[in-house]
Amino acid sequence: RVEAQGYIYFIGGHTDTQHTAASSAIEVYDTEATSWQQPFLPGTDTFNLITPRGGHSTSLVGDSMLVILGGSGGQGALNRVEIIHEYLEKDTATNTVTPTIQVVHSCFESDCSSPVPAMPEARDGHAAVVLDRGSILVAGGADGSHLTSQQLIHELDLYNPQ
C-alpha cells in the first residue's frame, strides 16, 4: 500500500496461503471521493503489473513514481523491477479524474535494452526505504521460494531508479 496525491495504491500480492500464486492487480482508492477505481493505460480498458508478484516492496519516489521491487510469483524470488509513473489529475471544477500512466520495467531477457536496471539480487520479503536523493535502500529478505529451502539475505543493496 502506497499513498500518492490523495490516492492509495494496492499493488499485487499473494493469492493463496502457501504463496504459490500472485496477483498482478493494481487498485486505487481515492481518499477524497472514498471510492475504488482501477487505473488504465490510455487506449486500454485496464492496467496490471507485467509480472504477478507478492512479497515485493513498493516505494514512492518523488510524488509520482512508484517503484515495485522483487517479490515472488510462486517460482522463486524475482530481481525484476517495474516503475509506474502515475499522473492522476483531478479537475476540481468537474470533479473528474484523468488517469495517465506510463510503465517501464526491467528486462526479462538478456538482449533487452530497457532503461530500467534489474535489482542486483533477487529478493522476496525484503524491506525498502527511499533515501533523500531518490535512491532506494533494500534490506533483508530471502532468495528462494516459500516452498523450498531458502537463504536469508543479509546484505544491503542500493537501487537507483532514475
Side-chain angles (χ1 to χ4, degrees), residues 6 14 26 34 55 61 68 83 88 106 122 131 136 139 156:
H14 290 293
I26 297 174
T34 63
V61 178
I68 299 108
I83 298 177
L88 291 176
S106 60
L131 303 176
I136 301 171
L156 300 174

Side-chain angles (χ1 to χ4, degrees), residues 2 4 17 20 32 34 37 52-53 70 74-76 113 116 120 130 132 151:
V2 175
T17 57
T20 58
E32 288 183 30
T34 63
Q37 52 185 289
R53 61 181 80 209
Q75 303 298 317
S113 62
V116 178
V130 178
D132 287 344
Q151 295 295 316

